[in-house]
Amino acid sequence: MTDHANVKPAVRPVVLLTGFDPFGGASVNPSWQAVRSLHGRQIQDRQVVGVQLPTVFGEALRVLDTWLDQLRPELVICVGQAGGRSAISIERVAINVDDAPLRDNAGAQPIDQPVVPGAPAAYFSTLPIKHMRANLLARNLPAEVSQTAGTFVCNHVFFGLMHRLSTHPGLRHTRGGFVHVPWMPGQGEPFLSLEHTSQALHVLVHTALSCARDIAAGAGSSH
Ligand code: PCA
């Protein structure tokens, strides 16, 4: 399911942002609310396209792949909710593991399964994660680099994205990664206002487009 199925093929470079639908009994997901608020915006002369992914193993990646094929974006940032985290979490690494702590929105709960059989154990984000953290902190937005995106649907999508970008010839120049956002008000604590989460995503897109290399070009941050 996507909310923007009528988006035309790109005439200008595209930034693809994805968020998830609510899961685990919640009625909202701030990742989608924030992504939706940026849909249709121009950032550094790029067109931002926001797409909602289902919180469903397998199906989320099928939807993502369709949009990657259609848009051939320059940059992809997938966004998910991480209840309990207090900062915008810029993920460093995706692992080839599905190990669901709860059922997804289709009732599945894979345990100890690969996201992509035969694929590498892990991929690093190709976003300038330290620059992104620095630019958020400089604007008084809470930010951290996270070493794990978990083993639920978010990591599944992050891994599937990075595998696709590293293996599909048409996406060789596309950079991508994953960001977790805190709950929004009303979901529990700690929370971050939707305005701040949206503002943070805008800063992250801007930073990724501006910085081809990271501050300290090391593991996972040299692209
Ligand atoms: N967060 C979940 C999946 C969907 C979402 O927004 C996760 O962290 O895996």
Side-chain angles (χ1 to χ4, degrees), residues 20-21 23 29 31 55 79-82 149 152-155 180:
F20 285 97
D21 63 356
F23 67 99
N29 189 323
S31 68
T55 305
V79 185
Q81 163 194 308
F152 191 47
V153 182
C154 286
N155 173 75
H180 267 116

Short mmCIF file of all heavy atoms in Angstrom, two decimals, residues 20-21 23 29 31 55 79-82 149 152-155 180, ligand 1:
data_model
loop_
_atom_site.label_atom_id
_atom_site.label_comp_id
_atom_site.label_asym_id
_atom_site.label_seq_id
_atom_site.Cartn_x
_atom_site.Cartn_y
_atom_site.Cartn_z
N PHE A 20 6.38 3.95 7.89
CA PHE A 20 5.57 2.74 8.06
C PHE A 20 4.16 3.06 8.55
O PHE A 20 3.93 4.09 9.20
CB PHE A 20 6.22 1.81 9.09
CG PHE A 20 7.43 1.08 8.58
CD1 PHE A 20 8.70 1.57 8.84
CD2 PHE A 20 7.30 -0.08 7.83
CE1 PHE A 20 9.83 0.90 8.39
CE2 PHE A 20 8.42 -0.75 7.38
CZ PHE A 20 9.68 -0.26 7.65
N ASP A 21 3.25 2.12 8.27
CA ASP A 21 1.92 2.24 8.85
C ASP A 21 1.98 1.83 10.34
O ASP A 21 2.97 1.25 10.80
CB ASP A 21 0.89 1.41 8.04
CG ASP A 21 1.16 -0.08 8.06
OD1 ASP A 21 2.19 -0.51 8.62
OD2 ASP A 21 0.34 -0.83 7.50
N PHE A 23 1.63 -0.12 13.80
CA PHE A 23 1.76 -1.56 14.06
C PHE A 23 1.66 -1.79 15.57
O PHE A 23 1.69 -0.84 16.36
CB PHE A 23 3.11 -2.08 13.55
CG PHE A 23 4.30 -1.53 14.28
CD1 PHE A 23 4.92 -2.25 15.29
CD2 PHE A 23 4.78 -0.26 14.00
CE1 PHE A 23 6.01 -1.74 15.98
CE2 PHE A 23 5.86 0.27 14.69
CZ PHE A 23 6.48 -0.47 15.69
N ASN A 29 1.75 6.18 13.35
CA ASN A 29 3.18 5.90 13.31
C ASN A 29 3.87 7.20 12.90
O ASN A 29 3.67 7.69 11.78
CB ASN A 29 3.49 4.78 12.29
CG ASN A 29 4.94 4.32 12.38
OD1 ASN A 29 5.83 5.13 12.60
ND2 ASN A 29 5.16 3.03 12.20
N SER A 31 6.71 7.88 11.98
CA SER A 31 7.60 7.82 10.82
C SER A 31 6.83 8.21 9.56
O SER A 31 7.32 8.99 8.74
CB SER A 31 8.22 6.42 10.67
OG SER A 31 7.26 5.45 10.33
N THR A 55 3.88 -2.51 7.57
CA THR A 55 4.73 -3.17 8.56
C THR A 55 4.51 -4.68 8.44
O THR A 55 3.92 -5.34 9.30
CB THR A 55 4.43 -2.65 9.98
OG1 THR A 55 4.57 -1.22 9.97
CG2 THR A 55 5.40 -3.22 11.01
N VAL A 79 12.44 5.36 7.13
CA VAL A 79 12.22 5.87 8.48
C VAL A 79 11.25 4.95 9.20
O VAL A 79 10.28 4.48 8.60
CB VAL A 79 11.67 7.32 8.45
CG1 VAL A 79 11.57 7.89 9.85
CG2 VAL A 79 12.52 8.21 7.55
N GLY A 80 11.52 4.68 10.47
CA GLY A 80 10.63 3.84 11.27
C GLY A 80 10.52 4.38 12.68
O GLY A 80 11.35 5.19 13.13
N GLN A 81 9.49 3.94 13.38
CA GLN A 81 9.28 4.32 14.78
C GLN A 81 10.07 3.39 15.69
O GLN A 81 10.05 2.17 15.50
CB GLN A 81 7.79 4.22 15.09
CG GLN A 81 7.43 4.19 16.56
CD GLN A 81 5.99 3.76 16.77
OE1 GLN A 81 5.07 4.31 16.18
NE2 GLN A 81 5.78 2.75 17.62
N ALA A 82 10.75 3.97 16.67
CA ALA A 82 11.40 3.16 17.70
C ALA A 82 10.92 3.66 19.06
O ALA A 82 11.51 4.59 19.63
CB ALA A 82 12.92 3.24 17.60
N ALA A 149 19.39 -1.56 14.26
CA ALA A 149 18.02 -1.23 13.87
C ALA A 149 17.05 -2.31 14.31
O ALA A 149 15.90 -2.36 13.87
CB ALA A 149 17.95 -1.04 12.35
N PHE A 152 13.29 -6.52 13.57
CA PHE A 152 11.88 -6.56 13.14
C PHE A 152 11.81 -5.98 11.72
O PHE A 152 12.79 -6.05 10.96
CB PHE A 152 11.04 -5.78 14.18
CG PHE A 152 9.55 -5.93 14.05
CD1 PHE A 152 8.95 -7.18 13.88
CD2 PHE A 152 8.72 -4.81 14.11
CE1 PHE A 152 7.56 -7.29 13.77
CE2 PHE A 152 7.34 -4.92 14.01
CZ PHE A 152 6.77 -6.15 13.83
N VAL A 153 10.67 -5.43 11.35
CA VAL A 153 10.46 -5.03 9.95
C VAL A 153 11.37 -3.87 9.52
O VAL A 153 11.74 -3.75 8.36
CB VAL A 153 8.97 -4.71 9.69
CG1 VAL A 153 8.75 -4.35 8.22
CG2 VAL A 153 8.08 -5.91 10.05
N CYS A 154 11.76 -3.01 10.46
CA CYS A 154 12.64 -1.89 10.09
C CYS A 154 14.00 -2.38 9.61
O CYS A 154 14.48 -1.97 8.55
CB CYS A 154 12.80 -0.92 11.26
SG CYS A 154 11.32 0.08 11.54
N ASN A 155 14.62 -3.26 10.38
CA ASN A 155 15.90 -3.82 9.93
C ASN A 155 15.72 -4.60 8.63
O ASN A 155 16.59 -4.56 7.75
CB ASN A 155 16.50 -4.72 11.01
CG ASN A 155 17.74 -5.43 10.50
OD1 ASN A 155 18.81 -4.85 10.37
ND2 ASN A 155 17.59 -6.72 10.16
N HIS A 180 15.59 5.78 12.73
CA HIS A 180 14.48 5.54 13.65
C HIS A 180 14.10 6.85 14.34
O HIS A 180 14.98 7.65 14.69
CB HIS A 180 14.87 4.51 14.71
CG HIS A 180 14.50 3.10 14.35
ND1 HIS A 180 15.44 2.11 14.16
CD2 HIS A 180 13.29 2.51 14.16
CE1 HIS A 180 14.82 0.98 13.86
NE2 HIS A 180 13.52 1.19 13.85
N1 PCA B 1 9.06 0.37 13.49
C1 PCA B 1 9.25 -1.07 13.51
C2 PCA B 1 8.64 -1.56 12.22
C3 PCA B 1 7.79 -0.45 11.73
C4 PCA B 1 8.19 0.72 12.50
O1 PCA B 1 7.82 1.89 12.32
C5 PCA B 1 10.71 -1.49 13.72
O2 PCA B 1 11.46 -0.75 14.37
O3 PCA B 1 11.11 -2.56 13.25
#
